[in-house]
Amino acid sequence: MQGDLESLKKDFKKFLGNKGRKITKRRLEIIDMIAKYGERFEIEDLVQWINSQNKNVASRSTIYKTVQLLREFGAIREVMKLNDRTIYELALEKQHHESKCMEGELENLKRDFERFLKNKGGKITKGRFEIIDMIANYRAHFEIEDLVRWISSQNKNVASRSTIYRTVRLLQEFGAIREVIKLNNRTIYEFVVGKQHHEHLICVECGKIIEFNKEEIEQLQEKVCEEYDFTPINHRLEIFGICSDCREKRRENRVG
């Protein structure tokens, strides 16, 4: 548990860095408290319990925001909705398992991508392998230019801007990167290796993208295909709307 928790903090720090945020001492303390809680929870119950243990850990809004970020990161998952209650759990073992699976799938990707390039008359270089590793470590949806800046900030000697762009295009053609959405003249991509199939909630105001997976949706799609005697090949679901942060800003602006 302790080893998984430290790995989580390390990976969560990278995740926040990729989003332009910093992990604070308070957020680390909240993670420790969630792990200590040791059972499934509603967020409000968690807030009350954390405050009962240490009122100086963080504000209610900070705890809510941290839980939201941990959900986006994949370390907290929704277990069920029951009588207007939403129950969550800390998924440390799942996170650790997915990390290990990712390592294996990444090696398979490199091998298959090398074969793909050879068939196109190209070669896989050390620089391209490093770019693949960096994209996998980015752990977030991205615009290519943002990815270029981040890779350069991590290691200026990895590759040129044009090489990164070209590698992303080749990985997209290969199927390891896919375009998620075009929104407000922005094109957002994601690295799909090591990820389960999922859908997206997309905020039309700030551009936030939230991944989710609901078995009920998958089952409904299968039922519809059976009903119409249709053989599915692939599917995508994007739901456009306004996220909770933007709704809150709207309320604040109205009050102000």
Side-chain angles (χ1 to χ4, degrees):
M1 173 69 165
Q2 188 61 36
D4 286 345
L5 195 58
E6 292 308 311
S7 295
L8 164 65
K9 291 177 183 177
K10 181 180 177 181
D11 292 342
F12 188 54
K13 183 177 181 180
K14 289 181 183 177
F15 170 77
L16 290 180
N18 295 341
K19 293 173 69 68
R21 298 170 179 263
K22 291 183 178 180
I23 189 153
T24 62
K25 180 182 177 182
R26 290 190 184 279
R27 284 216 162 104
L28 291 176
E29 289 174 342
I30 291 170
I31 292 172
D32 286 333
M33 296 295 280
I34 294 172
K36 187 178 178 181
Y37 192 70
E39 57 187 68
R40 294 175 174 180
F41 60 88
E42 290 181 84
I43 300 181
E44 194 56 42
D45 288 343
L46 180 70
V47 169
Q48 292 172 8
W49 181 80
I50 288 176
N51 286 331
S52 73
Q53 301 295 304
N54 185 347
K55 291 184 178 180
N56 297 318
V57 168
S59 66
R60 180 176 178 275
S61 61
T62 301
I63 296 171
Y64 263 81
K65 185 61 178 176
T66 301
V67 169
Q68 181 182 344
L69 287 166
L70 285 166
R71 284 190 67 198
E72 190 176 339
F73 174 60
I76 283 179
R77 62 184 171 192
E78 180 183 311
V79 179
M80 69 179 80
K81 288 184 181 291
L82 184 64
N83 298 330
D84 297 324
R85 299 168 59 210
T86 304
I87 311 298
Y88 301 93
E89 69 178 356
L90 185 66
L92 274 182
E93 291 182 2
K94 176 175 178 286
Q95 185 72 25
H96 179 70
H97 172 71
E98 288 183 350
S99 178
K100 290 297 182 184
C101 289
M102 178 65 160
E103 291 176 12
E105 292 194 35
L106 204 53
E107 292 309 309
N108 291 335
L109 163 67
K110 290 176 182 177
R111 184 183 64 247
D112 294 342
F113 188 54
E114 183 174 13
R115 190 180 302 122
F116 168 79
L117 288 180
K118 284 181 179 178
N119 291 339
K120 291 175 65 69
K123 290 183 179 180
I124 185 88
T125 62
K126 180 183 177 183
R128 283 218 163 105
F129 273 144
E130 290 176 342
I131 291 170
I132 291 172
D133 287 333
M134 297 292 279
I135 293 172
N137 286 331
Y138 193 69
R139 296 181 65 91
H141 299 92
F142 61 88
E143 292 180 79
I144 300 180
E145 195 57 41
D146 288 341
L147 182 71
V148 169
R149 285 195 291 267
W150 181 78
I151 289 176
S152 297
S153 72
Q154 301 297 303
N155 186 347
K156 292 182 179 180
N157 298 319
V158 167
S160 66
R161 181 175 178 276
S162 61
T163 301
I164 296 171
Y165 262 82
R166 177 65 178 156
T167 302
V168 168
R169 297 302 185 200
L170 286 167
L171 285 167
Q172 186 180 5
E173 184 181 345
F174 175 64
I177 284 176
R178 73 174 178 182
E179 179 183 308
V180 177
I181 195 66
K182 289 183 183 292
L183 184 67
N184 300 330
N185 297 319
R186 300 167 59 208
T187 304
I188 311 297
Y189 300 89
E190 68 178 346
F191 188 59
V192 299
V193 176
K195 282 191 172 185
Q196 293 182 335
H197 175 78
H198 57 272
E199 322 298 351
H200 296 104
L201 303 175
I202 301 169
C203 180
V204 297
E205 293 199 357
C206 69
K208 179 189 293 182
I209 300 174
I210 301 170
E211 296 179 359
F212 73 95
N213 180 278
K214 293 291 182 183
E215 185 60 31
E216 301 96 312
I217 294 176
E218 301 301 316
Q219 291 173 355
L220 178 59
Q221 289 173 146
E222 290 176 7
K223 184 178 179 181
V224 169
C225 288
E226 287 178 8
E227 182 179 341
Y228 288 91
D229 192 21
F230 186 81
T231 302
I233 298 174
N234 197 3
H235 77 269
R236 293 172 58 174
L237 173 63
E238 282 94 30
I239 300 175
F240 294 86
I242 302 171
C243 71
S244 58
D245 288 342
C246 289
R247 286 202 313 273
E248 183 62 30
K249 287 178 183 177
R250 282 185 172 189
R251 282 195 290 268
E252 290 174 357
N253 290 336
R254 283 199 297 269
V255 171

PDB file of all heavy atoms in Angstrom, residues 183-209:
ATOM      1  N   LEU A 183     -12.095  22.084 -31.337  1.00  0.00           N
ATOM      2  CA  LEU A 183     -12.910  22.986 -30.529  1.00  0.00           C
ATOM      3  C   LEU A 183     -12.256  24.359 -30.484  1.00  0.00           C
ATOM      4  O   LEU A 183     -11.102  24.490 -30.066  1.00  0.00           O
ATOM      5  CB  LEU A 183     -13.052  22.427 -29.107  1.00  0.00           C
ATOM      6  CG  LEU A 183     -13.950  23.190 -28.137  1.00  0.00           C
ATOM      7  CD1 LEU A 183     -15.406  23.115 -28.588  1.00  0.00           C
ATOM      8  CD2 LEU A 183     -13.818  22.615 -26.723  1.00  0.00           C
ATOM      9  N   ASN A 184     -12.994  25.369 -30.945  1.00  0.00           N
ATOM     10  CA  ASN A 184     -12.484  26.749 -30.919  1.00  0.00           C
ATOM     11  C   ASN A 184     -11.111  26.863 -31.574  1.00  0.00           C
ATOM     12  O   ASN A 184     -10.167  27.401 -30.998  1.00  0.00           O
ATOM     13  CB  ASN A 184     -12.415  27.260 -29.471  1.00  0.00           C
ATOM     14  CG  ASN A 184     -13.769  27.254 -28.789  1.00  0.00           C
ATOM     15  OD1 ASN A 184     -14.802  27.416 -29.446  1.00  0.00           O
ATOM     16  ND2 ASN A 184     -13.778  27.056 -27.480  1.00  0.00           N
ATOM     17  N   ASN A 185     -10.991  26.320 -32.774  1.00  0.00           N
ATOM     18  CA  ASN A 185      -9.742  26.354 -33.548  1.00  0.00           C
ATOM     19  C   ASN A 185      -8.605  25.574 -32.897  1.00  0.00           C
ATOM     20  O   ASN A 185      -7.440  25.774 -33.226  1.00  0.00           O
ATOM     21  CB  ASN A 185      -9.292  27.806 -33.796  1.00  0.00           C
ATOM     22  CG  ASN A 185     -10.293  28.579 -34.632  1.00  0.00           C
ATOM     23  OD1 ASN A 185     -10.838  28.053 -35.601  1.00  0.00           O
ATOM     24  ND2 ASN A 185     -10.546  29.821 -34.251  1.00  0.00           N
ATOM     25  N   ARG A 186      -8.941  24.725 -31.954  1.00  0.00           N
ATOM     26  CA  ARG A 186      -7.943  23.865 -31.307  1.00  0.00           C
ATOM     27  C   ARG A 186      -8.233  22.414 -31.688  1.00  0.00           C
ATOM     28  O   ARG A 186      -9.391  22.004 -31.743  1.00  0.00           O
ATOM     29  CB  ARG A 186      -8.006  24.006 -29.781  1.00  0.00           C
ATOM     30  CG  ARG A 186      -7.760  25.398 -29.258  1.00  0.00           C
ATOM     31  CD  ARG A 186      -8.150  25.488 -27.796  1.00  0.00           C
ATOM     32  NE  ARG A 186      -7.395  24.544 -26.980  1.00  0.00           N
ATOM     33  CZ  ARG A 186      -7.850  24.020 -25.849  1.00  0.00           C
ATOM     34  NH1 ARG A 186      -9.068  24.301 -25.421  1.00  0.00           N
ATOM     35  NH2 ARG A 186      -7.097  23.197 -25.149  1.00  0.00           N
ATOM     36  N   THR A 187      -7.177  21.651 -31.938  1.00  0.00           N
ATOM     37  CA  THR A 187      -7.328  20.222 -32.197  1.00  0.00           C
ATOM     38  C   THR A 187      -6.682  19.468 -31.043  1.00  0.00           C
ATOM     39  O   THR A 187      -5.499  19.647 -30.763  1.00  0.00           O
ATOM     40  CB  THR A 187      -6.663  19.812 -33.526  1.00  0.00           C
ATOM     41  OG1 THR A 187      -7.213  20.599 -34.588  1.00  0.00           O
ATOM     42  CG2 THR A 187      -6.918  18.341 -33.815  1.00  0.00           C
ATOM     43  N   ILE A 188      -7.483  18.662 -30.369  1.00  0.00           N
ATOM     44  CA  ILE A 188      -7.038  17.958 -29.171  1.00  0.00           C
ATOM     45  C   ILE A 188      -6.846  16.481 -29.501  1.00  0.00           C
ATOM     46  O   ILE A 188      -7.698  15.855 -30.137  1.00  0.00           O
ATOM     47  CB  ILE A 188      -8.066  18.096 -28.028  1.00  0.00           C
ATOM     48  CG1 ILE A 188      -8.476  19.564 -27.839  1.00  0.00           C
ATOM     49  CG2 ILE A 188      -7.510  17.503 -26.736  1.00  0.00           C
ATOM     50  CD1 ILE A 188      -7.360  20.485 -27.433  1.00  0.00           C
ATOM     51  N   TYR A 189      -5.724  15.930 -29.033  1.00  0.00           N
ATOM     52  CA  TYR A 189      -5.391  14.534 -29.287  1.00  0.00           C
ATOM     53  C   TYR A 189      -5.240  13.778 -27.970  1.00  0.00           C
ATOM     54  O   TYR A 189      -5.125  14.375 -26.895  1.00  0.00           O
ATOM     55  CB  TYR A 189      -4.066  14.436 -30.056  1.00  0.00           C
ATOM     56  CG  TYR A 189      -4.066  15.118 -31.398  1.00  0.00           C
ATOM     57  CD1 TYR A 189      -3.710  16.464 -31.511  1.00  0.00           C
ATOM     58  CD2 TYR A 189      -4.409  14.430 -32.557  1.00  0.00           C
ATOM     59  CE1 TYR A 189      -3.704  17.103 -32.744  1.00  0.00           C
ATOM     60  CE2 TYR A 189      -4.400  15.059 -33.794  1.00  0.00           C
ATOM     61  CZ  TYR A 189      -4.047  16.393 -33.878  1.00  0.00           C
ATOM     62  OH  TYR A 189      -4.040  17.024 -35.098  1.00  0.00           O
ATOM     63  N   GLU A 190      -5.215  12.445 -28.086  1.00  0.00           N
ATOM     64  CA  GLU A 190      -4.887  11.623 -26.927  1.00  0.00           C
ATOM     65  C   GLU A 190      -4.090  10.408 -27.373  1.00  0.00           C
ATOM     66  O   GLU A 190      -4.228   9.927 -28.502  1.00  0.00           O
ATOM     67  CB  GLU A 190      -6.141  11.185 -26.169  1.00  0.00           C
ATOM     68  CG  GLU A 190      -7.029  10.204 -26.897  1.00  0.00           C
ATOM     69  CD  GLU A 190      -8.234   9.775 -26.063  1.00  0.00           C
ATOM     70  OE1 GLU A 190      -8.245  10.032 -24.848  1.00  0.00           O
ATOM     71  OE2 GLU A 190      -9.164   9.177 -26.638  1.00  0.00           O
ATOM     72  N   PHE A 191      -3.244   9.947 -26.480  1.00  0.00           N
ATOM     73  CA  PHE A 191      -2.451   8.739 -26.676  1.00  0.00           C
ATOM     74  C   PHE A 191      -3.287   7.585 -26.137  1.00  0.00           C
ATOM     75  O   PHE A 191      -3.645   7.569 -24.958  1.00  0.00           O
ATOM     76  CB  PHE A 191      -1.140   8.876 -25.896  1.00  0.00           C
ATOM     77  CG  PHE A 191      -0.133   7.795 -26.152  1.00  0.00           C
ATOM     78  CD1 PHE A 191       0.350   7.553 -27.423  1.00  0.00           C
ATOM     79  CD2 PHE A 191       0.370   7.039 -25.097  1.00  0.00           C
ATOM     80  CE1 PHE A 191       1.309   6.576 -27.657  1.00  0.00           C
ATOM     81  CE2 PHE A 191       1.330   6.062 -25.314  1.00  0.00           C
ATOM     82  CZ  PHE A 191       1.802   5.829 -26.599  1.00  0.00           C
ATOM     83  N   VAL A 192      -3.644   6.631 -26.980  1.00  0.00           N
ATOM     84  CA  VAL A 192      -4.630   5.621 -26.590  1.00  0.00           C
ATOM     85  C   VAL A 192      -4.004   4.314 -26.112  1.00  0.00           C
ATOM     86  O   VAL A 192      -4.719   3.419 -25.654  1.00  0.00           O
ATOM     87  CB  VAL A 192      -5.606   5.325 -27.753  1.00  0.00           C
ATOM     88  CG1 VAL A 192      -6.369   6.577 -28.134  1.00  0.00           C
ATOM     89  CG2 VAL A 192      -4.871   4.760 -28.971  1.00  0.00           C
ATOM     90  N   VAL A 193      -2.694   4.198 -26.201  1.00  0.00           N
ATOM     91  CA  VAL A 193      -2.037   2.957 -25.783  1.00  0.00           C
ATOM     92  C   VAL A 193      -2.162   2.788 -24.271  1.00  0.00           C
ATOM     93  O   VAL A 193      -1.918   3.715 -23.499  1.00  0.00           O
ATOM     94  CB  VAL A 193      -0.550   2.962 -26.195  1.00  0.00           C
ATOM     95  CG1 VAL A 193       0.160   1.716 -25.668  1.00  0.00           C
ATOM     96  CG2 VAL A 193      -0.432   3.043 -27.707  1.00  0.00           C
ATOM     97  N   GLY A 194      -2.567   1.597 -23.844  1.00  0.00           N
ATOM     98  CA  GLY A 194      -2.688   1.309 -22.420  1.00  0.00           C
ATOM     99  C   GLY A 194      -3.968   1.814 -21.797  1.00  0.00           C
ATOM    100  O   GLY A 194      -4.160   1.700 -20.592  1.00  0.00           O
ATOM    101  N   LYS A 195      -4.861   2.376 -22.615  1.00  0.00           N
ATOM    102  CA  LYS A 195      -6.120   2.912 -22.094  1.00  0.00           C
ATOM    103  C   LYS A 195      -7.278   1.999 -22.450  1.00  0.00           C
ATOM    104  O   LYS A 195      -7.338   1.452 -23.548  1.00  0.00           O
ATOM    105  CB  LYS A 195      -6.400   4.301 -22.674  1.00  0.00           C
ATOM    106  CG  LYS A 195      -5.617   5.427 -22.037  1.00  0.00           C
ATOM    107  CD  LYS A 195      -6.179   6.756 -22.500  1.00  0.00           C
ATOM    108  CE  LYS A 195      -5.560   7.911 -21.728  1.00  0.00           C
ATOM    109  NZ  LYS A 195      -6.193   9.196 -22.099  1.00  0.00           N
ATOM    110  N   GLN A 196      -8.209   1.875 -21.515  1.00  0.00           N
ATOM    111  CA  GLN A 196      -9.456   1.201 -21.819  1.00  0.00           C
ATOM    112  C   GLN A 196     -10.305   2.116 -22.689  1.00  0.00           C
ATOM    113  O   GLN A 196     -10.134   3.332 -22.690  1.00  0.00           O
ATOM    114  CB  GLN A 196     -10.218   0.883 -20.529  1.00  0.00           C
ATOM    115  CG  GLN A 196      -9.544  -0.152 -19.648  1.00  0.00           C
ATOM    116  CD  GLN A 196     -10.368  -0.451 -18.412  1.00  0.00           C
ATOM    117  OE1 GLN A 196     -11.156   0.369 -17.966  1.00  0.00           O
ATOM    118  NE2 GLN A 196     -10.192  -1.638 -17.864  1.00  0.00           N
ATOM    119  N   HIS A 197     -11.236   1.496 -23.427  1.00  0.00           N
ATOM    120  CA  HIS A 197     -12.153   2.316 -24.220  1.00  0.00           C
ATOM    121  C   HIS A 197     -12.928   3.246 -23.291  1.00  0.00           C
ATOM    122  O   HIS A 197     -13.336   2.854 -22.198  1.00  0.00           O
ATOM    123  CB  HIS A 197     -13.128   1.428 -24.990  1.00  0.00           C
ATOM    124  CG  HIS A 197     -14.157   2.220 -25.732  1.00  0.00           C
ATOM    125  ND1 HIS A 197     -13.882   2.849 -26.921  1.00  0.00           N
ATOM    126  CD2 HIS A 197     -15.439   2.531 -25.418  1.00  0.00           C
ATOM    127  CE1 HIS A 197     -14.957   3.502 -27.319  1.00  0.00           C
ATOM    128  NE2 HIS A 197     -15.913   3.324 -26.431  1.00  0.00           N
ATOM    129  N   HIS A 198     -13.111   4.478 -23.723  1.00  0.00           N
ATOM    130  CA  HIS A 198     -13.815   5.444 -22.891  1.00  0.00           C
ATOM    131  C   HIS A 198     -14.480   6.499 -23.766  1.00  0.00           C
ATOM    132  O   HIS A 198     -14.208   6.600 -24.958  1.00  0.00           O
ATOM    133  CB  HIS A 198     -12.847   6.117 -21.905  1.00  0.00           C
ATOM    134  CG  HIS A 198     -11.701   6.799 -22.583  1.00  0.00           C
ATOM    135  ND1 HIS A 198     -10.529   6.145 -22.900  1.00  0.00           N
ATOM    136  CD2 HIS A 198     -11.553   8.068 -23.040  1.00  0.00           C
ATOM    137  CE1 HIS A 198      -9.707   6.984 -23.512  1.00  0.00           C
ATOM    138  NE2 HIS A 198     -10.302   8.158 -23.617  1.00  0.00           N
ATOM    139  N   GLU A 199     -15.342   7.262 -23.147  1.00  0.00           N
ATOM    140  CA  GLU A 199     -16.040   8.350 -23.824  1.00  0.00           C
ATOM    141  C   GLU A 199     -15.557   9.678 -23.226  1.00  0.00           C
ATOM    142  O   GLU A 199     -14.743   9.690 -22.302  1.00  0.00           O
ATOM    143  CB  GLU A 199     -17.558   8.207 -23.650  1.00  0.00           C
ATOM    144  CG  GLU A 199     -18.090   6.785 -23.712  1.00  0.00           C
ATOM    145  CD  GLU A 199     -17.868   6.071 -25.039  1.00  0.00           C
ATOM    146  OE1 GLU A 199     -17.435   6.723 -26.017  1.00  0.00           O
ATOM    147  OE2 GLU A 199     -18.107   4.860 -25.106  1.00  0.00           O
ATOM    148  N   HIS A 200     -16.086  10.788 -23.759  1.00  0.00           N
ATOM    149  CA  HIS A 200     -15.607  12.096 -23.310  1.00  0.00           C
ATOM    150  C   HIS A 200     -16.748  13.058 -23.002  1.00  0.00           C
ATOM    151  O   HIS A 200     -17.737  13.121 -23.731  1.00  0.00           O
ATOM    152  CB  HIS A 200     -14.726  12.744 -24.387  1.00  0.00           C
ATOM    153  CG  HIS A 200     -13.468  11.994 -24.669  1.00  0.00           C
ATOM    154  ND1 HIS A 200     -13.300  11.211 -25.791  1.00  0.00           N
ATOM    155  CD2 HIS A 200     -12.311  11.892 -23.965  1.00  0.00           C
ATOM    156  CE1 HIS A 200     -12.092  10.676 -25.770  1.00  0.00           C
ATOM    157  NE2 HIS A 200     -11.477  11.066 -24.678  1.00  0.00           N
ATOM    158  N   LEU A 201     -16.569  13.803 -21.915  1.00  0.00           N
ATOM    159  CA  LEU A 201     -17.370  14.989 -21.629  1.00  0.00           C
ATOM    160  C   LEU A 201     -16.485  16.183 -21.968  1.00  0.00           C
ATOM    161  O   LEU A 201     -15.347  16.262 -21.491  1.00  0.00           O
ATOM    162  CB  LEU A 201     -17.771  15.053 -20.154  1.00  0.00           C
ATOM    163  CG  LEU A 201     -18.553  13.867 -19.580  1.00  0.00           C
ATOM    164  CD1 LEU A 201     -18.742  14.048 -18.079  1.00  0.00           C
ATOM    165  CD2 LEU A 201     -19.903  13.727 -20.267  1.00  0.00           C
ATOM    166  N   ILE A 202     -16.987  17.106 -22.776  1.00  0.00           N
ATOM    167  CA  ILE A 202     -16.157  18.212 -23.254  1.00  0.00           C
ATOM    168  C   ILE A 202     -16.820  19.539 -22.907  1.00  0.00           C
ATOM    169  O   ILE A 202     -17.964  19.801 -23.306  1.00  0.00           O
ATOM    170  CB  ILE A 202     -15.938  18.110 -24.777  1.00  0.00           C
ATOM    171  CG1 ILE A 202     -15.261  16.774 -25.114  1.00  0.00           C
ATOM    172  CG2 ILE A 202     -15.101  19.279 -25.278  1.00  0.00           C
ATOM    173  CD1 ILE A 202     -15.224  16.456 -26.587  1.00  0.00           C
ATOM    174  N   CYS A 203     -16.109  20.363 -22.150  1.00  0.00           N
ATOM    175  CA  CYS A 203     -16.630  21.682 -21.783  1.00  0.00           C
ATOM    176  C   CYS A 203     -16.406  22.652 -22.945  1.00  0.00           C
ATOM    177  O   CYS A 203     -15.273  22.824 -23.401  1.00  0.00           O
ATOM    178  CB  CYS A 203     -15.948  22.200 -20.521  1.00  0.00           C
ATOM    179  SG  CYS A 203     -16.544  23.845 -20.020  1.00  0.00           S
ATOM    180  N   VAL A 204     -17.480  23.280 -23.405  1.00  0.00           N
ATOM    181  CA  VAL A 204     -17.380  24.171 -24.562  1.00  0.00           C
ATOM    182  C   VAL A 204     -16.838  25.543 -24.176  1.00  0.00           C
ATOM    183  O   VAL A 204     -16.537  26.358 -25.054  1.00  0.00           O
ATOM    184  CB  VAL A 204     -18.750  24.331 -25.262  1.00  0.00           C
ATOM    185  CG1 VAL A 204     -19.230  23.000 -25.807  1.00  0.00           C
ATOM    186  CG2 VAL A 204     -19.793  24.927 -24.312  1.00  0.00           C
ATOM    187  N   GLU A 205     -16.693  25.796 -22.871  1.00  0.00           N
ATOM    188  CA  GLU A 205     -16.183  27.099 -22.443  1.00  0.00           C
ATOM    189  C   GLU A 205     -14.683  27.070 -22.181  1.00  0.00           C
ATOM    190  O   GLU A 205     -13.945  27.897 -22.694  1.00  0.00           O
ATOM    191  CB  GLU A 205     -16.947  27.584 -21.206  1.00  0.00           C
ATOM    192  CG  GLU A 205     -18.404  27.902 -21.513  1.00  0.00           C
ATOM    193  CD  GLU A 205     -19.051  28.792 -20.470  1.00  0.00           C
ATOM    194  OE1 GLU A 205     -18.395  29.121 -19.462  1.00  0.00           O
ATOM    195  OE2 GLU A 205     -20.224  29.154 -20.671  1.00  0.00           O
ATOM    196  N   CYS A 206     -14.221  26.116 -21.373  1.00  0.00           N
ATOM    197  CA  CYS A 206     -12.792  26.083 -21.034  1.00  0.00           C
ATOM    198  C   CYS A 206     -12.033  24.994 -21.789  1.00  0.00           C
ATOM    199  O   CYS A 206     -10.807  24.967 -21.774  1.00  0.00           O
ATOM    200  CB  CYS A 206     -12.599  25.896 -19.529  1.00  0.00           C
ATOM    201  SG  CYS A 206     -13.076  24.256 -18.920  1.00  0.00           S
ATOM    202  N   GLY A 207     -12.766  24.084 -22.440  1.00  0.00           N
ATOM    203  CA  GLY A 207     -12.112  23.030 -23.205  1.00  0.00           C
ATOM    204  C   GLY A 207     -11.716  21.811 -22.393  1.00  0.00           C
ATOM    205  O   GLY A 207     -11.090  20.890 -22.916  1.00  0.00           O
ATOM    206  N   LYS A 208     -12.082  21.780 -21.112  1.00  0.00           N
ATOM    207  CA  LYS A 208     -11.747  20.615 -20.283  1.00  0.00           C
ATOM    208  C   LYS A 208     -12.364  19.349 -20.877  1.00  0.00           C
ATOM    209  O   LYS A 208     -13.500  19.357 -21.352  1.00  0.00           O
ATOM    210  CB  LYS A 208     -12.265  20.815 -18.861  1.00  0.00           C
ATOM    211  CG  LYS A 208     -11.989  19.634 -17.927  1.00  0.00           C
ATOM    212  CD  LYS A 208     -12.705  19.783 -16.605  1.00  0.00           C
ATOM    213  CE  LYS A 208     -12.170  20.929 -15.800  1.00  0.00           C
ATOM    214  NZ  LYS A 208     -12.838  21.059 -14.481  1.00  0.00           N
ATOM    215  N   ILE A 209     -11.603  18.259 -20.848  1.00  0.00           N
ATOM    216  CA  ILE A 209     -12.085  16.974 -21.343  1.00  0.00           C
ATOM    217  C   ILE A 209     -12.039  15.970 -20.199  1.00  0.00           C
ATOM    218  O   ILE A 209     -10.993  15.760 -19.590  1.00  0.00           O
ATOM    219  CB  ILE A 209     -11.232  16.473 -22.520  1.00  0.00           C
ATOM    220  CG1 ILE A 209     -11.283  17.473 -23.678  1.00  0.00           C
ATOM    221  CG2 ILE A 209     -11.710  15.101 -22.986  1.00  0.00           C
ATOM    222  CD1 ILE A 209     -10.366  17.133 -24.834  1.00  0.00           C
TER     223      ILE A 209
END
